[in-house]
Amino acid sequence: MNFDPRLTNRSFTAVGTRPIRPDGIDKVTGRARYGADYNMAGQLVGRVLRSPHAHAVIRGIDTSKAEALPGVKAVITAADLPDLTNGDNALRDILDNCMARGKALYDGHAVAAVAAIDARTARQALKLIMVDYAVLPHVTDVDEAFRHGAPLINEAIFTEGLEEKPVKPSNVFKRTQYGHGDVHKGFAEADFIVERSFRTEQTHQGYIEPHACVASVSSDGMAELWVCTQGPFVYRQHCAQLLGMEASKLRVTSSEIGGGFGGKTHVWAEPVALALSRKAGRPVKLVMTRDEVFRASGPTSATSIDVKIGARKDGTITAAEATLRYSCGPYPGMWAEVGAMTAFACYRLDNVRTVGFEVLVNRPKTAAYRAPSAPMAAFAVESSIDELAKKVGMDAVDFRIRNAAQEGTRASYGPVYGPIGIGPTLEAVKKHPHMQAPLKENQGRGMACGFWFNFGGQTCVDLNIGMDGSVSLAVGTVDVGGSRASLSLVAAEELGIDYGQVKAIVADTSSLGYNDMTDGSRGTFSSSMATISAARNAIRILRERAAQMWDIPADDVVWEKGHALAKGEKYGNLSPLSLKEIAAQSGTTGGPIAGHSELVADGAGVSFATHICDIEVDRETGATRVLRYTVVQDAGKAVHPTYVEGQYQGGAAQGIGWALNEEYIYGKDGRLQNAGFLDYRIPVCSDLPMIDTQILEIPNPNHPYGVRGVGETSIVPPLAAIANAVSNAVGVRMTHIPMSPPRILAALEQFQEK
């Protein structure tokens, strides 16, 4: 049955309500099973030996003493994970990151692993592994790595995207460019120009649960992996390819996820656990320590960004340009490219150009963090926009309204926008009471806009109707923010039944067709589309069964409010049949009733938000206190408004930590100095105000209910909104994130010296 994903005008009964989350009780009582909560009979404990050097040749590894230790059942090195990637460079980088081969490329890079009968024995075994390193010069700073003459990380990297093919290797993997018009002409027309440079430091997603898995490979080659992940199907695909297995022989089950935010979209320790299990012949449980999570799993990029924006006296932007340098870790990435795409996406620009450079450094492999790359670009652009508005003499909100993108605008990264929410969010912010609230001495208010693409992708669901009328919905997108409740609401809405009759589960890879990773804000968007399709397929069968029970043509049966109705006066004697009544007779009318859907969800619909922040700064200590915070964002259609608000608040909270406190600090030796929550400080409750939210609903025309993704856009504006607030409070433009007390004091001191 063909599925039409276009928006339909309809009223809702279930969608838009706020039922209690189905997994809530298990989570607050401790019954929910996370990655480290799973155990298998006879399991061993896995531990990983990691490089203490930022950059070093591995001349040799002697594992003989570790292998001889009683209780050790397996020791592996890169030799046990041979290169089976068949020239796939991206996959080979994943393999190299899981277990170093030839060179250790960052402090914390895995070089060997053991499986033993207990943790104590495993730790002893690691101490017995002798690694012969030849230490090499390293580089951890993105600007230093960008310069000519910097220590070379990968001799096989020649910069892509240049007009002339380079003859020497470089730490710059790729140059990308976006834009249209003539920026030189645009700047010549400007009455005011702002030109500044900005830096952001590397941060971590800070999820509460470390990476954890249990792997079991049997003698017949069948394997199981229980793992904390945002994408079990992608994990199956990568692990199977790296270990030379058939994907059908590896069953991956996702646990409850103790936070991901993009950090659990990559395999890190899972192929290692499988290799240990294969060698030992027993299940292996491998749980990262917090130190390992910081040193060896994917943080964000550190960035260095130059921005130039010009405007006329009337406030019209004439040209905008940005050069963005993003660190990738020691492997190629596309982080600067995404930053270049998102940087000016909020604005209607005739002349715009962005250039991105992917820069290799001796730090962990960079991973996604909630709208990856966009917050840093927005920090630089929105800070410059604020400064330009002041030069022009306009209010910051009015200046943005004048230049905001709208339906029909050609985006800075290429496509033409359909219905979008940037204008409505700005108008809502202008009218919001927060913007009129008075401020005291040493307090400042800032606002900023943000954008994210949103994705769809490959999606598959099963909807099964039990004989008691209950509905089981099996989905393949991991629930990272309440999607089981949202998808249950969608199924209930479509079938016309009560929310309590629907139970949604996340299926394992052997129970359902392929699903893409839960990232890019695709979870509810794509799976709700597939759920609607599956429900409509089930409704078709329900109508056929009702027709059979009535002995009338199926075309004479319609489905309304959870019931089959015979249409036409000639059937006036036939009472409606409920879903439960039809299901109860399914055994005699043709068997089980189910709906299935597999589709590629397109047209995710871009997302915009505008944030307001009030902050107080202590000029003597540089300490900051966030006084008030407001998020206004377009959700398309809020399926479960409470979860939408939670996504808004969560993104803002993480952005507050990123803007004010969080950063990776490396020593001159290239080693991470703050690999733990004691020294890497994420916000706690006392650091945050109540975060107000306002949901706007500008329907996405490419979804039957108008849904847009909401999970990522909310982290894009905070860095800039807070920077603008701090800058307004102290009278000095802040250009370096995080704005820790020492940086604020240094900026004040530098300003006073001028």
Side-chain angles (χ1 to χ4, degrees):
M1 177 177 166
N2 292 328
F3 174 67
D4 186 354
R6 290 176 297 179
L7 176 68
T8 54
N9 293 321
R10 59 180 294 170
S11 58
F12 297 98
T13 56
V15 166
T17 61
R18 301 172 183 257
I20 295 173
R21 63 186 302 159
D23 54 330
I25 293 176
D26 283 352
K27 286 182 174 176
V28 299
T29 59
R31 290 178 58 191
R33 301 181 76 189
Y34 292 87
D37 292 329
Y38 189 72
N39 298 287
M40 296 184 73
Q43 74 183 18
L44 303 171
V45 175
R47 288 287 185 272
V48 177
L49 181 67
R50 301 187 180 279
S51 169
H53 305 292
H55 196 195
V57 173
I58 301 172
R59 292 190 291 209
I61 303 178
D62 184 355
T63 61
S64 58
K65 291 182 180 179
E67 291 169 329
L69 183 68
V72 171
K73 302 300 180 180
V75 181
I76 66 167
T77 64
D80 298 280
L81 283 167
D83 186 355
L84 305 175
T85 59
N86 295 319
D88 185 329
N89 291 332
L91 196 62
R92 189 186 185 283
D93 288 344
I94 295 173
L95 177 67
D96 187 82
N97 189 56
C98 289
M99 189 65 68
R101 50 203 62 236
K103 282 205 305 184
L105 298 174
Y106 57 90
D107 166 41
H109 198 168
V111 295
V114 303
I117 57 173
D118 55 36
R120 180 175 177 272
T121 305
R123 286 193 296 268
Q124 281 184 292
L126 292 184
K127 294 177 181 178
L128 295 175
I129 298 174
M130 299 293 108
V131 184
D132 182 13
Y133 294 104
V135 179
L136 299 172
H138 65 270
V139 58
T140 58
D141 181 83
V142 63
D143 280 333
E144 290 180 10
F146 188 80
R147 294 189 183 104
H148 293 293
L152 195 61
I153 295 170
N154 187 337
E155 295 82 0
I157 295 296
F158 291 78
T159 306
E160 298 178 5
L162 300 178
E163 291 184 3
E164 295 184 11
K165 187 175 181 180
V167 296
K168 293 183 179 181
S170 167
N171 289 330
V172 180
F173 162 62
K174 188 178 182 181
R175 178 192 185 274
T176 53
Q177 180 173 319
Y178 290 90
H180 53 259
D182 185 339
V183 291
H184 298 294
K185 175 176 174 290
F187 283 123
E189 296 173 355
D191 297 306
F192 303 96
I193 292 176
V194 166
E195 190 169 5
R196 279 198 180 271
S197 296
F198 300 86
R199 283 183 63 92
T200 69
E201 297 300 329
Q202 195 163 52
T203 56
H204 198 274
Q205 299 87 352
Y207 34 77
I208 301 302
E209 184 188 17
H211 298 270
C213 66
V214 178
S216 179
V217 182
S218 60
S219 57
D220 62 359
M222 299 297 290
E224 290 189 65
L225 184 66
W226 168 282
V227 62
C228 179
T229 176
Q230 292 177 236
F233 293 89
V234 175
Y235 273 43
R236 178 186 66 176
Q237 179 181 334
H238 285 169
C239 288
Q241 288 176 291
L242 295 179
L243 274 77
M245 302 171 60
E246 294 179 18
S248 62
K249 291 186 176 182
L250 175 58
R251 179 186 183 186
V252 180
T253 303
S254 60
S255 67
E256 293 289 350
I257 185 168
F261 316 111
K264 290 173 180 172
T265 57
H266 298 258
V267 294
W268 308 102
E270 296 77 17
V272 174
L274 284 163
L276 284 169
S277 176
R278 181 169 62 183
K279 192 168 186 177
R282 288 169 60 176
V284 173
K285 183 173 184 175
L286 203 162
V287 180
M288 277 189 172
T289 64
R290 183 61 60 183
D291 175 273
E292 289 179 298
V293 168
F294 276 110
R295 292 174 61 214
S297 70
T300 66
S301 299
T303 73
S304 171
I305 303 173
D306 304 322
V307 174
K308 182 179 180 181
I309 310 178
R312 296 192 185 96
K313 293 177 182 178
D314 65 358
T316 303
I317 296 176
T318 60
E321 188 174 32
T323 301
L324 309 97
R325 296 167 290 275
Y326 280 54
S327 66
C328 302
Y331 305 104
M334 56 173 291
W335 309 109
E337 180 174 2
V338 177
M341 294 172 74
T342 61
F344 293 107
C346 293
Y347 299 104
R348 184 181 66 255
L349 303 169
D350 292 330
N351 305 294
V352 58
R353 180 173 64 189
T354 56
V355 179
F357 292 97
E358 318 290 345
V359 185
L360 273 60
V361 294
N362 292 117
R363 295 192 181 204
K365 173 184 170 69
T366 298
Y369 180 14
R370 210 169 184 166
S373 302
M376 306 83 129
F379 160 60
V381 168
E382 291 293 305
S383 296
S384 302
I385 289 281
D386 233 47
E387 193 168 357
L388 185 56
K390 287 181 180 178
K391 276 195 171 187
V392 173
M394 287 183 68
D395 173 78
V397 179
D398 290 337
F399 184 78
R400 288 172 170 85
I401 289 173
R402 183 175 188 85
N403 294 285
Q406 53 195 251
E407 185 173 358
T409 294
R410 183 183 178 189
S412 58
Y413 63 97
V416 175
Y417 289 134
I420 57 174
I422 180 61
T425 66
L426 283 164
E427 294 289 351
V429 160
K430 184 175 181 179
K431 298 172 185 175
H432 200 283
H434 187 165
M435 290 301 288
Q436 280 72 50
L439 292 170
K440 298 178 181 178
E441 188 179 359
N442 295 325
Q443 295 179 356
R445 175 169 299 138
M447 54 80 58
C449 301
F451 160 89
W452 185 244
F453 310 95
N454 296 329
F455 300 128
Q458 299 178 78
T459 313
C460 178
V461 305
D462 275 334
L463 186 150
N464 295 282
I465 300 174
M467 294 184 70
D468 60 354
S470 63
V471 175
S472 174
L473 180 67
V475 302
T477 45
V478 173
D479 184 351
V480 298
S483 61
R484 279 171 291 192
S486 298
L487 297 176
S488 295
L489 283 171
V490 170
E493 184 72 53
E494 202 65 28
L495 294 170
I497 60 177
D498 185 77
Y499 166 82
Q501 290 178 245
V502 184
K503 171 71 172 178
I505 63 166
V506 179
D508 64 63
T509 57
S510 296
S511 304
L512 198 63
Y514 182 87
N515 280 260
D516 281 329
M517 187 78 65
T518 302
D519 63 0
S521 294
R522 67 173 296 271
T524 297
F525 167 77
S526 61
S527 286
S528 66
M529 189 180 289
T531 298
I532 292 167
S533 174
R536 291 178 182 177
N537 288 337
I539 288 170
R540 176 176 52 82
I541 297 171
L542 287 163
R543 289 174 46 239
E544 292 172 354
R545 299 298 177 84
Q548 186 177 342
M549 293 167 69
W550 283 327
D551 194 22
I552 66 174
D555 289 343
D556 289 346
V557 180
V558 296
W559 190 261
E560 293 181 7
K561 298 180 180 180
H563 292 76
L565 287 78
K567 61 181 181 180
E569 294 181 2
K570 59 184 177 180
Y571 301 126
N573 62 328
L574 297 177
S575 299
L577 289 171
S578 68
L579 180 146
K580 187 173 183 179
E581 290 172 318
I582 300 170
Q585 299 299 317
S586 60
T588 59
T589 60
I593 300 174
H596 181 78
S597 177
E598 61 281 316
L599 50 78
V600 177
D602 290 324
V606 295
S607 177
F608 294 89
T610 303
H611 291 198
I612 319 167
C613 174
D614 291 356
I615 204 159
E616 185 173 75
V617 181
D618 186 326
R619 287 175 171 269
E620 293 186 357
T621 65
T624 55
R625 183 165 68 99
V626 181
L627 305 172
R628 186 172 180 179
Y629 203 99
T630 300
V631 176
V632 181
Q633 184 174 323
D634 170 26
K637 176 61 185 177
V639 177
H640 193 304
T642 300
Y643 287 168
V644 172
E645 291 165 351
Q647 291 291 334
Y648 290 3
Q649 291 165 333
Q654 289 178 314
I656 289 169
W658 191 343
L660 297 176
N661 298 306
E662 298 179 39
E663 66 175 309
Y664 271 37
I665 300 173
Y666 278 86
K668 292 182 179 180
D669 59 358
R671 302 199 68 184
L672 183 61
Q673 296 183 332
N674 60 332
F677 283 139
L678 183 63
D679 298 307
Y680 180 96
R681 190 172 179 279
I682 63 172
V684 296
C685 288
S686 58
D687 296 314
L688 300 170
M690 291 299 294
I691 298 171
D692 297 324
T693 61
Q694 183 176 346
I695 300 172
L696 302 185
E697 294 185 323
I698 293 87
N700 173 13
N702 302 307
H703 186 282
Y705 294 179
V707 170
R708 300 178 191 267
V710 301
E712 296 181 270
T713 310
S714 55
I715 204 173
V716 181
L719 275 63
I722 296 165
N724 288 334
V726 172
S727 299
N728 291 333
V730 300
V732 180
R733 173 53 54 185
M734 302 300 299
T735 61
H736 196 164
I737 293 289
M739 294 170 289
S740 56
R743 288 205 179 101
I744 291 176
L745 290 177
L748 284 170
E749 184 178 341
Q750 187 177 10
F751 177 73
Q752 290 166 359
E753 290 175 354
K754 288 183 179 179

